[in-house]
Amino acid sequence: MKSIKLLFLFCLLGLSAALKTQAAYTEEYRPQYHFSASSGWIGDPDGLIRYNNIYHLFWWGHAISSDLVYWSQLPYPMNGGDGSFTYFSGSVAVDKQNTSGFGSIAKPPMVAIYTANNNFSGLQTQCLSSSTNAAYFYYYAGNPVLNLNSTSFRDPDVFWNAQTGQWIMAVALSSQHIIQFYASQNLIAWQYLSAFGPAGARDADWEDPGLFQLPVNGDTQNTKWVLTVNKGPNKVQYFVGNFDGTNFVMDALTQSFLTNGVGLDGSVFVDFEGSNYGNWTTTGTAFGSGPAQGTLPAQNPVNGYLGHGLVNSYNGGDTSTGTLTSPAFTITNHCINFLIGGGNNPGLTCINLLVNGTVVQTATGNNDETLRWSGWNVSQWIGQTAQIQIVDNSTGGWGHIDVDQIIFSDVLMNFNLEQANWVDWGSDFYAARVYRDYDGVEPCAIWLGWMDNWQYANNLPESWGQGAESIPRNLGLVPSPRGYQLVQQPLPRLQKLRGALVSVGPCTIQNTMNLSQFQPPANTYELDAVFNLSATNQNFGLNLCVGGTNKVVIGYDAATANVFLDRRASGNVSFSPSFPNIVTAPFLTHAGYIEFHIFVDQSSIEVFVNGGQAVLTSLIFPDPSSLGLQLFSANGVTTLRSLSAWNLASIWH
């Protein structure tokens, strides 16, 4: 009876909100099956819980759903604050045993645990608000419950750990790239347990940590702990390991991948771990007598290299110059990858590929001391003799170069990111958090992410407000040479939105051909296309949202084993110089096919590759009249094995 009354309350509140805002869901670029707020800003998905068969989403607005497909927005939930702070990200816990005393066993409270960011001092503290009706949360008079007198301490993720019988909090010391763990018996008094980090990618603040268990190969009796950490402006990384109730410890394979590159595709040409450069030759003084062991005197901290050694030409400061040249080798792989940082001085601080003594490829740094992956497609020079030369001919500011871990591979890693396990390779998936299932019925973990990017979040061309959440995704782990790999798949319940099935294939594709069999009335559809992978030079895929010269391109380049999403001509791209881009995901497969499972919804695209082994999520803003679809094969013939497409209904009407 209690759950029926609660659902009735939700329905009344949701109907009231829906009636007020229904007409607002037809605006240009408004998502039709992703959740977006009726108006105003939406940010990180917070307080994701399932309780009494209702799913809650906070941001700190509030919406509810019975199935994670259809949503009703409720009134603003937070009450009683004094106006001196802003609600930052956090969690909601269902305190079934009333450990907090904010309710009763008969009427368990919901407790919101969040960061209060002081509007004047910038101090970030962890605070509570509680609710006994699942709608309105009231500020706790004893706040804050956790205070380190820090301006970089935020985004608590709180859950009940049945193994130890206590509440656990994971919270970020953002600028230090550390996740702290705390325990509590009542959600009010918190005891420090341990810390994790720095590790993985750390060229920006850490935010929105999450700690949860996932099954391996779908086996719920075999689970691993996963710690997710968000890193601005738009990336989520993950660590797999074990949490014993006090400490989170990475698995050995995960740690070896992150710190030494174990499991990377290809063979290491040089890792610069020796005491000298071996058979490489040097000129000048910039490179010293051997690899540097990290940061050199008077240098800003160097990060992102693997192992202990790297090439660092800050030997003696920026005024030193010189070259470091490899012995000759024969190019046998399609790609050469490397980590690079230091000065952005093309031709002066750089790494070059020389073929027959001529520079045919080059790369430079980013004017910072973080090494990120870069690389070249060298397939046109396979069989030829080459050398790699690292150059420092600059004596001004940032007049040095950092290089590490040169790898010969058939997978291009030219994505300008640090060594890490990345959740999503697109431009717009951030602040992801899992649903905490207080009903105990979900067969697997589900999460949402914020579809946005802090490079342009305040400038999106959306008339109703700003931002939307991703579609809900099922999560799991599969073994790989680099440790357990996260796999994401669309929530199957979304299939209830499908219209009539349109099937195409098998057929052969050469150049570009219109996909005339599927003509959506709007850019709100789902598409699943499977292409045969049969040659090393294939380049194939789909052009979506086609109109005039505009299109969104999703494809696979077999020569570099990269999936790519190109939105440079996707429509409205002028609102930020960071927006028109190509993103890539390294994806070497021996399955013999590439599957693109695609969700397009007015202003976003989500691409799940081969069952969610790689995912790319990006915003797009095509003209509403750009509704064309095309297939393409740029290098010869590609076979489309099958294509299925569905128009998807609006969740608002």
Side-chain angles (χ1 to χ4, degrees):
M1 182 64 70
K2 178 179 66 176
S3 62
I4 294 175
K5 289 180 179 178
L6 185 62
L7 182 58
F8 181 67
L9 170 65
F10 286 152
C11 289
L12 287 178
L13 291 170
L15 178 60
S16 174
L19 289 174
K20 291 177 184 177
T21 61
Q22 184 175 10
Y25 286 92
T26 59
E27 303 96 333
E28 187 176 37
Y29 302 135
R30 167 76 81 168
Q32 292 302 295
Y33 58 88
H34 292 75
F35 180 80
S36 59
S38 59
S39 63
W41 179 274
I42 191 171
D44 305 350
D46 292 321
L48 302 185
I49 58 171
R50 172 181 171 145
Y51 183 54
N52 284 338
N53 298 316
I54 297 293
Y55 298 92
H56 295 259
L57 162 65
F58 298 86
W59 60 95
W60 289 99
H62 188 191
I64 57 170
S65 174
S66 63
D67 58 2
L68 290 173
V69 178
Y70 294 95
W71 292 91
S72 293
Q73 186 169 334
L74 303 187
Y76 183 74
M78 310 307 282
N79 292 271
D82 62 7
S84 67
F85 67 90
T86 302
Y87 291 92
F88 274 20
S89 296
S91 311
V92 170
V94 179
D95 188 7
K96 287 186 173 183
Q97 299 303 312
N98 193 33
T99 64
S100 63
F102 293 143
S104 65
I105 296 294
K107 200 170 186 180
M110 287 184 180
V111 182
I113 309 99
Y114 52 84
T115 297
N117 185 79
N118 189 279
N119 296 330
F120 307 100
S121 67
L123 195 69
Q124 296 182 343
T125 59
Q126 313 320 312
C127 294
L128 307 180
S129 295
S130 64
S131 173
T132 54
N133 64 8
Y136 296 105
F137 289 74
Y138 294 92
Y139 189 73
Y140 172 52
N143 281 327
V145 297
L146 195 53
N147 180 8
L148 300 186
N149 292 311
S150 170
T151 58
S152 182
F153 178 51
R154 58 183 179 267
D155 308 336
D157 177 45
V158 174
F159 64 95
W160 178 257
N161 186 1
Q163 296 172 335
T164 59
Q166 58 190 351
W167 297 100
I168 299 294
M169 176 193 294
V171 60
L173 288 173
S174 299
S175 63
Q176 299 178 48
H177 309 114
I178 287 173
I179 304 302
Q180 288 189 333
F181 301 102
Y182 292 83
S184 177
Q185 297 297 324
N186 60 8
L187 292 168
I188 298 170
W190 292 92
Q191 176 187 1
Y192 173 79
L193 295 175
S194 63
F196 172 84
R202 49 201 127 135
D203 65 352
D205 280 3
W206 280 11
E207 299 181 315
D208 294 290
L211 182 62
F212 49 91
Q213 290 177 281
L214 289 181
V216 177
N217 288 330
D219 181 2
T220 57
Q221 302 303 309
N222 178 19
T223 62
K224 300 294 297 183
W225 285 88
V226 178
L227 175 65
T228 57
V229 178
N230 291 262
K231 181 196 73 71
N234 71 311
K235 281 285 176 267
V236 187
Q237 61 180 321
Y238 66 95
F239 307 88
V240 180
N242 180 59
F243 180 68
D244 63 4
T246 300
N247 297 282
F248 176 81
V249 179
M250 279 190 287
D251 283 350
L253 260 183
T254 297
Q255 184 159 5
S256 295
F257 170 71
L258 293 176
T259 59
N260 296 309
V262 173
L264 288 171
D265 294 298
S267 59
V268 177
F269 178 54
V270 60
D271 58 11
F272 300 110
E273 291 298 295
S275 59
N276 56 55
Y277 291 119
N279 54 4
W280 287 55
T281 59
T282 62
T283 65
T285 61
F287 296 97
S289 60
Q293 298 296 299
T295 306
L296 293 172
Q299 187 178 24
N300 291 326
V302 178
N303 298 296
Y305 57 93
L306 300 182
H308 301 287
L310 76 155
V311 172
N312 183 345
S313 72
Y314 196 76
N315 183 55
D318 278 335
T319 58
S320 60
T321 61
T323 62
L324 177 64
T325 307
S326 79
F329 60 90
T330 301
I331 297 175
T332 58
N333 292 87
H334 288 196
C335 306
I336 297 176
N337 300 310
F338 44 86
L339 288 162
I340 187 168
N344 184 349
N345 303 293
L348 296 177
T349 56
C350 56
I351 179 172
N352 296 327
L353 176 67
L354 286 71
V355 175
N356 298 320
T358 300
V359 175
V360 296
Q361 293 279 14
T362 187
T364 189
N366 295 296
N367 280 352
D368 64 24
E369 302 290 14
T370 297
L371 280 75
R372 301 175 181 87
W373 282 109
S374 185
W376 304 310
N377 178 356
V378 298
S379 55
Q380 69 186 88
W381 298 290
I382 286 179
Q384 298 193 43
T385 301
Q387 288 178 288
I388 290 173
Q389 187 173 71
I390 305 172
V391 176
D392 179 353
N393 282 331
S394 175
T395 58
W398 286 107
H400 65 279
I401 191 75
D402 306 319
V403 174
D404 193 25
Q405 205 77 6
I406 300 174
I407 298 176
F408 297 163
S409 177
D410 289 325
V411 182
L412 185 62
M413 296 172 62
N414 187 30
F415 42 73
N416 196 35
L417 294 170
E418 295 169 86
Q419 173 77 350
N421 279 314
W422 298 110
V423 164
D424 192 298
W425 296 89
S427 295
D428 299 290
F429 186 81
Y430 193 61
R433 284 241 168 111
V434 299
Y435 267 90
R436 303 294 183 179
D437 177 19
Y438 286 92
D439 293 333
V441 298
E442 289 292 353
C444 63
I446 301 169
W447 74 358
L448 300 176
W450 181 49
M451 291 198 303
D452 217 327
N453 184 317
W454 282 115
Q455 291 179 312
Y456 41 73
N458 294 301
N459 300 313
L460 300 181
E462 299 171 339
S463 62
W464 74 90
Q466 294 284 10
E469 312 294 14
S470 72
I471 60 171
R473 304 174 181 181
N474 287 338
L475 304 179
L477 295 171
V478 296
S480 82
R482 60 188 62 179
Y484 291 104
Q485 176 186 355
L486 182 70
V487 175
Q488 306 174 74
Q489 297 198 55
L491 190 70
R493 293 172 217 166
L494 292 166
Q495 294 175 13
K496 68 177 67 177
L497 299 176
R498 289 175 173 175
L501 168 66
V502 175
S503 297
V504 179
C507 64
T508 57
I509 311 158
Q510 190 167 15
N511 301 319
T512 301
M513 56 183 284
N514 291 325
L515 187 62
S516 57
Q517 299 92 327
F518 181 59
Q519 298 182 358
N523 282 314
T524 53
Y525 55 83
E526 176 186 357
L527 187 151
D528 192 285
V530 183
F531 299 84
N532 282 345
L533 190 56
S534 57
T536 59
N537 68 337
Q538 285 178 279
N539 188 298
F540 57 82
L542 302 105
N543 298 327
L544 306 179
C545 308
V546 177
T549 60
N550 292 331
K551 59 184 177 180
V552 180
V553 186
I554 297 101
Y556 185 75
D557 182 8
T560 60
N562 270 210
V563 177
F564 58 91
L565 195 164
D566 183 351
R567 66 178 182 188
R568 292 175 299 173
S570 58
N572 186 348
V573 299
S574 62
F575 56 88
S576 168
S578 302
F579 192 81
N581 66 359
I582 304 175
V583 291
T584 61
F587 192 77
L588 182 65
T589 178
H590 302 288
Y593 67 89
I594 294 293
E595 177 190 19
F596 297 125
H597 192 179
I598 301 169
F599 290 78
V600 176
D601 190 8
Q602 304 278 60
S603 55
S604 67
I605 182 166
E606 293 167 85
V607 184
F608 299 82
V609 184
N610 283 35
Q613 295 179 59
V615 183
L616 300 90
T617 303
S618 288
L619 295 178
I620 53 173
F621 296 97
D623 187 280
S625 65
S626 295
L627 299 172
L629 292 89
Q630 298 172 334
L631 301 166
F632 71 86
S633 178
N635 294 328
V637 175
T638 295
T639 298
L640 175 71
R641 186 182 297 185
S642 65
L643 185 148
S644 302
W646 304 264
N647 289 310
L648 296 183
S650 172
I651 64 172
W652 306 117
H653 304 295

